[in-house]
Amino acid sequence: MTLVSAILPTYNRADYVSGAIETVLEQSHDETEVVVVDDGSTDDTTERLAAYEDDDRVRVRHNDENRGISASMNRAADLADGEFICVLNDDDRWHEAKVEKQLAAFERANDEVGIVYTGGVVKQGERVVRVYRPERRGDIYPEVIARFGLHPHSSHMLRAECFELGGFDPDFPRGVDWDHCIRLAREYEFEYVDERLVERIFHTNNISQQLTHGVEVNRMVWEKYREEIERYPDIERRLREKQCRAHARVALERGQRRRAFAYARRAMGYERTAESAFIVLFAVLGRRALGAARRARDAAMNWRASHDE
């Protein structure tokens, strides 16, 4: 049976990491292993991981100091023995049939496919606050430079050979998923399983929930791939729109309505999107309207998620 490795970086997530490990061990596909790299945690993570020292399906390594998520994932990938490697964040959970269904997708796919991903949800308690629906397959380069759109990262299963192209970039403290997929898309095709097989747990320490996350990731992608971006005018235009929109969103959250309006207008000059139009509207109407819109969005998201199941 095919061995599948899950690479699991963790840092100060003692309350989450055991659940992530268990979600791999409970897979319907029996031949799985978990490679955990503790990135210099200072909480009770070491004690939680010690509970698995007699389980040969779980291997744990500890970094002497905090090296960042990319370095930790690379160390885990180097240790993994699987023919396929799955990414797993410590605060994410898998459906028990995730690995089995992805392996079946690889069996049906052509040899050019290197990555199979799935849909997923973000939950805050019992409330669904976001739904990820996979929509892109095949050759996604250079489109992936303009838009990642392959969430959640914890749904990604890769052929182990993909890492021969290089691992995760340590210069990316965030956005490592987007950067890695840009490089993979040059050489491999993508496929997906159209099911919600990953659950992300929403909490205030999610890196992706930090206010300036989008601005910083867009900037890093722009700086690293500038030459490629400039070869594709449409990609450059869409990235500029995305960057302006990210700035507008930050300004709106900070109550800087005039600044948000200006950035959103600039974004719409590159490409008209519904989000930029809404930012313009909320910049005029104020934060109370923004809060009401978010509540309506969350209610609609919960209704849609419950009726999709």
Side-chain angles (χ1 to χ4, degrees), residues 117-118 130 132-136 140 143-144 146-152 156 177-178 181 190 192 242:
Y117 66 108
T118 81
R130 186 165 186 176
Y132 296 116
R133 292 183 172 86
E135 57 185 34
R136 289 192 292 167
I140 64 172
E143 162 71 17
V144 68
R147 181 174 68 93
F148 178 52
L150 302 166
H151 297 291
H156 289 210
D177 46 4
W178 188 7
C181 285
F190 284 63
Y192 61 74
K242 189 174 183 179

Side-chain angles (χ1 to χ4, degrees), residues 1-270:
M1 187 177 290
T2 303
L3 177 63
V4 176
S5 302
I7 57 174
L8 174 56
T10 189
Y11 175 64
N12 284 348
R13 294 279 179 79
D15 292 338
Y16 293 97
V17 67
S18 296
I21 294 172
E22 293 300 325
T23 204
V24 179
L25 302 183
E26 293 169 359
Q27 288 294 298
S28 57
H29 180 80
D30 291 332
E31 288 298 309
T32 58
E33 67 168 5
V34 191
V35 183
V36 185
V37 174
D38 173 20
D39 195 18
S41 295
T42 57
D43 63 357
D44 294 331
T45 295
T46 300
E47 289 73 17
R48 299 295 174 87
L49 295 177
Y52 296 95
E53 62 185 11
D54 294 327
D55 192 328
D56 59 9
R57 298 170 297 172
V58 182
R59 282 183 286 161
V60 178
R61 297 293 185 272
H62 299 274
N63 292 339
D64 295 334
E65 59 183 6
N66 184 258
R67 300 177 184 175
I69 188 170
S70 292
S72 297
M73 288 201 292
N74 287 338
R75 186 180 183 189
D78 287 343
L79 293 167
D81 291 327
E83 182 179 342
F84 294 91
I85 294 178
C86 293
V87 176
L88 177 58
N89 293 327
D90 54 16
D91 50 0
D92 293 345
R93 304 293 182 259
W94 288 348
H95 185 282
E96 63 182 9
K98 172 188 172 291
V99 168
E100 179 182 347
K101 292 184 176 185
Q102 287 180 292
L103 287 175
F106 267 114
E107 285 289 327
R108 296 189 299 268
N110 64 63
D111 292 339
E112 301 301 314
V113 171
I115 301 91
V116 171
Y117 66 108
T118 81
V121 297
V122 181
K123 295 186 74 174
Q124 188 171 15
E126 294 302 313
R127 187 164 60 97
V128 175
V129 297
R130 186 165 186 176
V131 176
Y132 296 116
R133 292 183 172 86
E135 57 185 34
R136 289 192 292 167
R137 54 164 48 106
D139 183 359
I140 64 172
Y141 183 87
E143 162 71 17
V144 68
I145 304 177
R147 181 174 68 93
F148 178 52
L150 302 166
H151 297 291
H153 196 204
S154 287
S155 76
H156 289 210
M157 175 185 282
L158 299 78
R159 297 187 191 274
E161 67 186 50
C162 290
F163 285 89
E164 295 174 7
L165 298 176
F168 300 96
D169 188 343
D171 289 335
F172 273 62
R174 58 189 70 202
V176 296
D177 46 4
W178 188 7
D179 168 63
H180 198 223
C181 285
I182 290 173
R183 287 179 280 126
L184 292 174
R186 295 174 182 149
E187 304 293 335
Y188 292 98
E189 294 183 4
F190 284 63
E191 185 54 86
Y192 61 74
V193 176
D194 192 11
E195 296 184 50
R196 301 201 306 257
L197 300 179
V198 175
E199 180 179 308
R200 300 193 62 202
I201 302 172
F202 179 95
H203 54 85
T204 56
N205 290 327
N206 290 131
I207 292 178
S208 60
Q209 301 304 322
Q210 295 175 7
L211 184 57
T212 60
H213 176 81
V215 172
E216 295 175 11
V217 173
N218 289 339
R219 175 186 56 78
M220 289 187 292
V221 167
W222 187 279
E223 291 177 353
K224 181 171 181 176
Y225 297 100
R226 179 180 298 274
E227 291 185 5
E228 292 178 61
I229 291 166
E230 291 175 349
R231 288 202 298 267
Y232 301 100
D234 182 61
I235 298 297
E236 180 175 0
R237 174 182 56 78
R238 292 169 61 190
L239 270 177
R240 290 189 184 278
E241 183 277 331
K242 189 174 183 179
Q243 183 75 337
C244 288
R245 179 158 41 92
H247 279 290
R249 192 183 308 116
V250 171
L252 189 64
E253 291 284 355
R254 290 174 172 171
Q256 300 168 341
R257 293 165 59 183
R258 182 175 297 179
R259 184 179 177 88
F261 182 86
Y263 269 116
R265 284 287 301 273
R266 191 183 304 175
M268 293 177 69
Y270 291 114

